[in-house]
Amino acid sequence: MMSRPAHALIDLSALQHNLSVVRQHAPQARIMAVIKANAYGHGFLQAAKALNEAGGFALLELDAALQLRQAGFKQTILLLEGFFTEAEIALFDQHQLTAVIHHSSQIDMLNQATFKHLDVFVKMNTGMNRLGFQPDEFHAAMNTLRSNKNIQNITLMTHFASAGDVEGEQQFNQQLDCFNSITEKYQLPRSLANSAAILNYPTTHENWVRPGIMLYGGSPLENKTAEELGLRPVMTVSSKIIAIQNINRGDRVGYSGCYQTDKPRQIGIVAFGYADGYPRHAPTGTPVLVNGQTSHIVGRISMDMLAVDVTEVENAKVGSPVILWGEGLPVDVIADQAETISYELLCGITARVARSIQS
Ligand SMILES: *Cc1c(COP(=O)(O)O)cnc(C)c1O
């Protein structure tokens, strides 16, 4: 049986290469590889295996964390949103999972629960205003946690909102100053840096860095490409041309007839649509590779298909290979075109897309 050609290839050697780039930038720090959201869509178990040299893994799905332990991973496993109910604390205890403590409701649960040993990362909200204790609540939270003898290792943590933005330096500095001034009195390990801060701000590396997107070969920086950063794409998304339409001047392509040609053209229909995870908002002109040659999208992305202009592509025919992003076509380019970020595209490849691993 010839199966539908929509496909995602995961290159584990690229993942390992990108880990080595993290290590070059932050040689003194321990690496907490962020594998949330199924390793940004790459498959968390196989990603963890490839990243086995990392000192820890961060994610927020408890079932995936338990699967990591079951698979024999001994590293620190950090749950980025901590526990959600008191009952989960027993699982953290039993499987030595480390919890981010970011809110007083979690401290209340800890005071109710019985457990023997829990390591925590205590998160401060330094200005992102998502998770974390406000600076003026931080000491009280620390005092309560430190008075609980079953809470063992405490690491101090915050998260930056704009470490990769060209105009983000002012907010970054405010966040860093806030964190340092409040935490100065504690002789405890620290974790601040996401991918962008790893690359832009070496003073934030401290004890644990938390790279996500750069491991997967996306650029975390507004003003540098992944290639310029020495990062390799891990996921290559591809399919094939399954039909060719020869159209004349004035003809239209796709839903609502949004695209109309000014001359005769050859259109290739590719078996990949928004139900596979291609962004529906990618406009006419978004690049694709057909037979390794640059071509582009025309008209609306459908649920199951998209159309490309192959007029200038040599030897384009049914069966010609098409790369949507990955090797030779950075995911960041497609994300820009669709007015989103690489993270969303990588996480968005759906279950019906066949996957395979290259190591
Ligand atoms: C997702 C996440 C990261 C990784 O961020 P990248 O930009 O992908 O490097 C680090 N820390 C926290 C708290 C996160 O939620």
Side-chain angles (χ1 to χ4, degrees), residues 24 27 64 72 90 94 153 171 186 193 202 215-216 239 249 255-256 259 262 275 288 297 306 308 321 325-326 329 358:
Q24 280 160 29
Q94 190 183 342
N153 300 299
Q171 187 184 17
Y186 300 104
L215 292 173
Y216 307 103
S239 189
R249 180 190 157 91
Y255 284 117
S256 304
Y259 174 79
D262 53 354
V288 300
I297 303 280
L306 53 81
V308 297
W325 69 69
L329 182 56
Q358 178 183 326

Side-chain angles (χ1 to χ4, degrees), residues 5-319:
H7 187 255
L9 180 66
I10 307 299
D11 180 352
L12 297 180
S13 66
L15 192 57
Q16 290 169 334
H17 166 83
N18 296 337
L19 179 66
S20 76
V21 176
V22 174
R23 207 177 285 115
Q24 280 160 29
H25 282 271
Q28 311 297 333
R30 302 182 75 191
I31 298 173
M32 184 80 75
V34 180
I35 56 167
K36 63 191 177 189
N38 199 24
Y40 294 42
H42 294 68
F44 76 95
L45 268 179
Q46 68 196 32
K49 280 178 199 147
L51 299 170
N52 198 30
E53 305 274 289
F57 298 109
L59 73 181
L60 41 88
E61 302 84 354
L62 184 55
D63 56 342
L66 295 173
Q67 283 181 60
L68 287 173
R69 280 286 180 253
Q70 204 163 28
F73 288 98
K74 302 277 185 265
Q75 289 93 334
T76 299
I77 298 179
L78 177 65
L79 279 291
L80 289 167
E81 294 178 350
F83 42 82
F84 302 92
T85 62
E86 190 192 315
E88 286 178 349
I89 296 173
L91 288 171
F92 278 67
D93 187 12
Q94 190 183 342
H95 298 281
Q96 296 173 51
L97 305 176
T98 303
V100 168
I101 304 296
H102 61 81
H103 197 270
S104 58
S105 60
Q106 292 173 313
I107 294 186
D108 297 342
M109 292 182 224
L110 286 171
N111 289 337
Q112 298 297 315
T114 42
F115 59 94
K116 285 204 208 57
H117 176 131
L118 189 69
D119 290 344
V120 297
F121 278 43
V122 187
K123 189 166 189 177
M124 194 193 308
N125 171 13
T126 52
M128 176 138 179
N129 289 312
R130 208 175 53 174
L131 296 187
F133 296 97
Q134 291 286 352
D136 64 2
E137 308 167 332
F138 196 76
H139 296 308
M142 285 295 289
N143 287 340
T144 315
L145 291 168
R146 293 215 287 185
S147 67
N148 188 327
K149 65 181 188 329
N150 297 323
I151 292 178
Q152 266 148 45
N153 300 299
I154 299 183
T155 301
L156 309 175
M157 171 186 184
T158 193
H159 190 55
F160 295 118
S162 61
D165 300 353
V166 171
E167 301 198 340
E169 201 172 336
Q170 194 188 355
Q171 187 184 17
F172 165 84
N173 282 324
Q174 280 170 3
Q175 287 195 258
L176 183 61
D177 291 347
C178 172
F179 184 80
N180 285 339
S181 67
I182 303 290
T183 59
E184 173 178 61
K185 67 177 211 176
Y186 300 104
Q187 297 295 314
L188 289 171
R190 283 139 216 273
S191 176
L192 298 85
N194 58 1
S195 298
I198 290 167
L199 295 165
N200 272 344
Y201 300 108
T203 61
T204 65
H205 293 170
E206 301 276 6
N207 304 81
W208 283 104
V209 293
R210 305 190 306 269
I213 195 66
M214 69 183 289
L215 292 173
Y216 307 103
S219 173
L221 305 185
E222 224 171 47
N223 61 353
K224 283 214 178 81
T225 66
E227 192 180 359
E228 285 166 345
L229 295 167
L231 300 170
R232 285 170 45 194
V234 178
M235 178 192 291
T236 294
V237 174
S238 65
S239 189
K240 286 182 176 165
I241 290 181
I242 59 168
I244 298 271
Q245 303 293 344
N246 291 294
I247 62 170
N248 296 314
R249 180 190 157 91
D251 286 352
R252 296 172 185 273
V253 176
Y255 284 117
S256 304
C258 293
Y259 174 79
Q260 186 172 29
T261 183
D262 53 354
K263 62 174 199 193
R265 286 180 200 271
Q266 193 169 55
I267 303 299
I269 305 301
V270 180
F272 210 95
Y274 63 77
D276 300 298
Y278 198 86
R280 185 175 167 278
H281 291 101
T284 291
T286 301
V288 300
L289 297 177
V290 181
N291 279 341
Q293 298 158 61
T294 302
S295 167
H296 61 265
I297 303 280
V298 294
R300 290 257 170 95
I301 309 298
S302 299
M303 183 182 284
D304 312 309
M305 283 166 271
L306 53 81
V308 297
D309 182 352
V310 294
T311 316
E312 309 287 322
V313 174
E314 269 169 59
N315 206 19
K317 54 178 190 266
V318 168

